Amino acid sequence: MKNKFYNIIIAYFIITLLLALVSHSYIVKYTSIEDHLFYYFILTIVFVILSPVVFIYLLKLNNKRNKESFKRLEKINEELYKSNERYDIVEKATSDTIWDWDIKTGGFIWSKGVEIVFGYKKEDVGTNLQWWFEKIHPEDSLKMSVKLYSFIEQKAEKWQDYYRFMCADGTFKYVFDRGFLVMDEDRNVVRMIGAIQDITKQKEEEQRLKLLETVITQTKDSVIITESNDVENEMPKIVFVNPAFTKMTGYNAEEVVGKSALVFMNKFSVRNDIKKLAEALKKKEEFSFESLNKRKNKEQYWVNISMIPITDKDNQHSHWISIQRDISIEKEREKEREQLISELTQNNKDLKQFSYITSHNLRAPLSNLTGLLNLIDDIPIENEELKEIINGFSKSTSQLNETINDLVNVIIIKDSPSIQKEDIIIKNIFENVFNQLSFLISLKKPIIKMELNDTQTINLNKSYIESILLNLMTNSLRYLDPNRQLKIWIGSKKTTTETTLTFKDNGIGIDLERNRDKIFGLYQRFHDYPDSKGLGLYLVKSQVESMGGTISVESQVGLGTTFTIVFKNN
């Protein structure tokens, strides 16, 4: 504006100067000397009148030009505004970060995308090339810079590259960058304009898909992908099978893609399951079933099939994924197991029957022998040798009778699905046991310490718990250490959930390192005592377990034995 004002002043000065010179020349040439003053006076008046007119004319002319210039500027500004508006809309629509690199000066201009996408504050964004390169991941920087400068040297039309760009929080995002060169009339590169696109989600999805692809191709289970099919009673068409499918069935992908699974399913199995399968497919819910299929070589095999529905981005059912696992070996083992269970069940029944028959058939002869031995007791025998033989025979008969009674008790326990239980005062049970063993207790003279509550009760079978405690007490009295006085400790502890009975002595003990696995076994003997039958602890464990309890033992040779019995409170 100042320049135009000065131009007007200069133009006005030149015009008035020319007019003055022309007027002066005219007056000098065409008037007399006497009239000069008069004409100069007239000329001065004319100049005074014409000067504002000329000046106003020049100002109007300048204003007219200014208005035209302003209109052009307004039009240019409007076009620039619309252009910037379109630029902002495009940037928002594409989520791209636009950059402009002045190659001559090294200046760098970023759009707002660098703040929105990468989280930088406006004042933190650099205005030179170095800031850009500092934000590129060190592993990508060298590769990217080589490709970029090679592109500029070759003056190629377009440049693009993938790399990782640092965010304001120090994390990195995967980006796709594209650039275009701007050249002058002499084809010298002066600028480069580019757009950075955040492709982190696409990259992560790509990596996830690669991982899934690896899983599908490497898994030993057969994976089949089929179309979604809404046609009733019709199997969907196969679109993909993995290598495991070929290994399992013998069919190549080319032989089954575009066809239904009926190609490799057993027709008898299909006949039984097709309606059930079609109904499940119709519901479009995940389901599993077992099927008898056939391989390409006609060999049959059992397979467990899981059908999983897949939906598209609009949540519409698009495909099925079928994961199939060969369970032929499991089926064969299951069949063998069922056969074995059947055989064991039958054997168990036969053994029980044999035990019943044996015990019943032996009872009569034993009763007769016992009666005869009782009669012999009333007959005086003077022959000492015969007397000793009869006593040994009587003792063996008594032991045989006890063994049969124990076996009968074991059979009854094992064969009883349920037993009668009642609330029993624990202390009373021990008193009954002590009364039954009073003679043996008086003979061995043990020190017995009891920690029992006078009113504490437990819900058990009275006969069984008496038998258990009688066996344990008898063993303590029988297998005492002859070198020290026998001590027996009996305790009971009741919580809200269980009752624990503890029976401890300082007898000769048991070698658990050798006998732990067989201590509760049938006919297991751990000491060379002539009256030991090896049935007591087996009977104890059977009775405890029949009442829902558990029994454990800790023992050490020369120190003693501790039995711990635990029952759940009802």
Side-chain angles (χ1 to χ4, degrees):
M1 293 298 291
K2 283 186 175 181
N3 290 337
K4 289 185 177 181
F5 178 75
Y6 290 141
N7 290 338
I8 291 170
I9 297 298
I10 292 169
Y12 174 74
F13 174 75
I14 292 171
I15 291 170
T16 51
L17 181 61
L18 289 171
L19 286 173
L21 292 172
V22 170
S23 300
H24 176 73
S25 299
Y26 181 81
I27 291 171
V28 171
K29 186 176 180 181
Y30 295 103
T31 60
S32 60
I33 295 174
E34 292 82 6
D35 296 328
H36 282 180
L37 290 173
F38 172 75
Y39 284 109
Y40 278 124
F41 174 74
I42 296 298
L43 182 61
T44 301
I45 292 172
V46 171
F47 263 88
V48 170
I49 294 170
L50 285 176
S51 290
V53 173
V54 173
F55 193 72
I56 290 169
Y57 172 76
L58 290 173
L59 285 175
K60 283 185 176 180
L61 186 63
N62 183 63
N63 285 338
K64 184 179 179 182
R65 289 177 179 174
N66 284 341
K67 285 181 180 180
E68 290 176 356
S69 297
F70 277 121
K71 284 182 180 180
R72 285 197 302 273
L73 285 173
E74 285 179 356
K75 188 176 180 181
I76 291 170
N77 286 335
E78 186 178 354
E79 289 176 355
L80 283 172
Y81 176 78
K82 289 180 179 179
S83 177
N84 288 333
E85 190 178 39
R86 285 194 295 269
Y87 167 81
D88 291 337
I89 292 171
V90 170
E91 185 181 26
K92 289 177 182 178
T94 60
S95 299
D96 286 354
T97 300
I98 312 298
W99 51 268
D100 189 343
W101 174 25
D102 188 329
I103 294 177
K104 287 186 175 180
T105 64
F108 220 92
I109 300 173
W110 293 91
S111 69
K112 289 183 180 179
V114 74
E115 302 169 33
I116 298 169
V117 177
F118 301 103
Y120 288 102
K121 294 179 181 179
K122 188 175 181 180
E123 59 270 19
D124 295 333
V125 179
T127 57
N128 54 48
L129 184 66
Q130 184 180 357
W131 187 86
W132 180 28
F133 275 93
E134 286 175 352
K135 303 307 173 188
I136 298 172
H137 195 284
E139 294 178 6
D140 301 333
S141 180
L142 181 61
K143 174 202 70 170
M144 181 266 189
S145 61
V146 169
K147 290 175 68 175
L148 177 63
Y149 283 107
S150 175
F151 162 75
I152 294 172
E153 278 186 25
Q154 295 173 8
K155 298 180 181 179
E157 186 178 351
K158 296 178 182 178
W159 166 83
Q160 62 183 37
D161 201 0
Y162 295 91
Y163 57 87
R164 284 163 288 180
F165 193 83
M166 183 187 290
C167 300
D169 60 4
T171 60
F172 285 89
K173 286 188 175 183
Y174 284 95
V175 299
F176 174 54
D177 202 348
R178 293 150 294 173
F180 302 88
L181 294 178
V182 178
M183 292 179 279
D184 59 17
E185 295 176 353
D186 299 326
R187 286 193 55 80
N188 294 316
V189 178
V190 292
R191 289 172 63 200
M192 187 174 180
I193 300 172
I196 298 176
Q197 183 182 7
D198 179 8
I199 58 166
T200 304
K201 289 184 178 179
Q202 296 94 307
K203 199 72 176 178
E204 290 174 351
E205 182 66 16
E206 180 184 326
Q207 291 174 346
R208 189 180 72 87
L209 290 174
K210 282 185 178 179
L211 181 61
L212 289 175
E213 183 183 356
T214 302
V215 171
I216 290 173
T217 55
Q218 297 299 321
T219 183
K220 294 181 179 179
D221 290 340
S222 170
V223 178
I224 304 169
I225 302 178
T226 69
E227 298 174 341
S228 171
N229 187 17
D230 296 326
V231 180
E232 192 172 352
N233 294 333
E234 186 174 318
M235 298 287 285
K237 298 290 188 297
I238 298 170
V239 297
F240 170 83
V241 292
N242 70 337
F245 169 85
T246 301
K247 188 175 181 181
M248 182 184 293
T249 66
Y251 288 96
N252 293 320
E254 296 78 11
E255 296 175 281
V256 295
V257 170
K259 299 177 183 178
S260 73
L262 295 175
V263 173
F264 53 87
M265 292 184 73
N266 186 291
K267 62 181 180 180
F268 298 108
S269 177
V270 170
R271 191 179 301 164
N272 294 329
D273 298 337
I274 188 66
K275 289 184 179 179
K276 195 190 307 180
L277 184 57
E279 186 65 25
L281 290 171
K282 188 177 179 181
K283 290 180 180 179
K284 296 180 173 59
E285 296 176 351
E286 182 177 346
F287 66 97
S288 299
F289 65 99
E290 292 180 358
S291 177
L292 184 63
N293 289 354
K294 62 178 180 180
R295 307 186 204 275
K296 189 176 180 180
N297 61 5
K298 308 303 180 184
E299 178 187 350
Q300 291 186 342
Y301 67 102
W302 278 98
V303 63
N304 179 278
I305 302 174
S306 296
M307 299 290 291
I308 305 168
I310 302 299
T311 56
D312 58 21
K313 61 181 180 180
D314 298 321
N315 205 30
Q316 297 296 315
H317 181 229
S318 60
H319 294 84
W320 286 98
I321 289 184
S322 173
I323 301 174
Q324 303 188 3
R325 184 169 60 88
D326 190 339
I327 57 171
S328 300
I329 296 175
E330 288 89 334
K331 279 287 185 181
E332 187 64 31
R333 287 175 179 170
E334 184 180 336
K335 186 178 178 181
E336 292 175 357
R337 186 166 56 250
E338 289 176 356
Q339 185 177 352
L340 182 60
I341 291 171
S342 177
E343 291 176 357
L344 288 173
T345 303
Q346 186 60 45
N347 290 341
N348 192 38
K349 288 180 181 178
D350 293 343
L351 285 171
K352 283 182 181 179
Q353 190 66 23
F354 174 76
S355 300
Y356 282 126
I357 293 170
T358 302
S359 61
H360 181 270
N361 291 346
L362 287 175
R363 286 246 178 235
L366 276 172
S367 297
N368 292 334
L369 285 172
T370 303
L372 290 172
L373 289 170
N374 289 334
L375 290 174
I376 292 174
D377 286 341
D378 297 332
I379 300 173
I381 299 173
E382 296 180 359
N383 190 323
E384 292 297 327
E385 186 176 348
L386 179 60
K387 189 176 182 179
E388 186 177 346
I389 292 171
I390 291 173
N391 287 336
F393 186 70
S394 177
K395 188 175 181 180
S396 297
T397 302
S398 177
Q399 287 179 347
L400 179 60
N401 189 50
E402 288 179 5
T403 300
I404 291 174
N405 287 335
D406 288 339
L407 285 171
V408 170
N409 288 332
V410 171
I411 293 169
I412 292 171
I413 293 169
K414 294 295 184 183
D415 201 35
S416 298
S418 61
I419 57 173
Q420 189 76 25
K421 292 184 180 181
E422 58 182 300
D423 287 334
I424 305 164
I425 298 176
I426 297 174
K427 190 172 183 180
N428 292 345
I429 297 297
F430 278 100
E431 288 178 355
N432 291 340
V433 171
F434 294 153
N435 289 335
Q436 294 180 53
L437 297 173
S438 58
F439 176 76
L440 197 57
I441 291 173
S442 64
L443 184 65
K444 304 293 183 179
K445 295 182 174 55
I447 298 173
I448 301 175
K449 184 179 180 181
M450 297 177 62
E451 293 184 6
L452 301 172
N453 189 303
D454 290 343
T455 59
Q456 185 175 330
T457 62
I458 190 169
N459 188 261
L460 297 173
N461 181 276
K462 185 177 180 181
S463 299
Y464 280 9
I465 191 64
E466 278 190 7
S467 174
I468 291 166
L469 298 177
L470 189 63
N471 263 300
L472 295 178
M473 189 72 178
T474 302
N475 284 348
S476 292
L477 293 169
R478 182 178 295 168
Y479 304 118
L480 77 167
D481 191 325
N483 299 319
R484 60 173 177 266
Q485 186 177 14
L486 176 63
K487 293 181 181 180
I488 299 174
W489 181 85
I490 300 167
S492 173
K493 183 180 179 182
K494 189 173 185 179
T495 65
T496 55
T497 58
E498 60 188 27
T499 299
T500 303
L501 301 177
T502 306
F503 199 98
K504 182 178 180 180
D505 65 42
N506 66 338
I508 58 177
I510 303 170
D511 187 354
L512 291 185
E513 290 185 7
R514 295 174 58 187
N515 302 308
R516 182 178 291 276
D517 294 338
K518 55 185 180 181
I519 194 166
F520 293 109
L522 187 61
Y523 297 120
Q524 297 295 326
R525 299 173 61 183
F526 311 107
H527 307 290
D528 295 329
Y529 281 69
D531 57 347
S532 176
K533 296 176 292 183
L535 270 172
L537 291 180
Y538 177 81
L539 189 62
V540 166
K541 187 173 188 293
S542 299
Q543 290 171 327
V544 169
E545 290 179 347
S546 68
M547 294 186 290
T550 60
I551 184 169
S552 60
V553 60
E554 290 298 328
S555 185
Q556 192 171 345
V557 176
L559 295 179
T561 303
T562 301
F563 288 95
T564 304
I565 304 172
V566 180
F567 293 105
K568 296 289 183 183
N569 296 333
N570 294 332

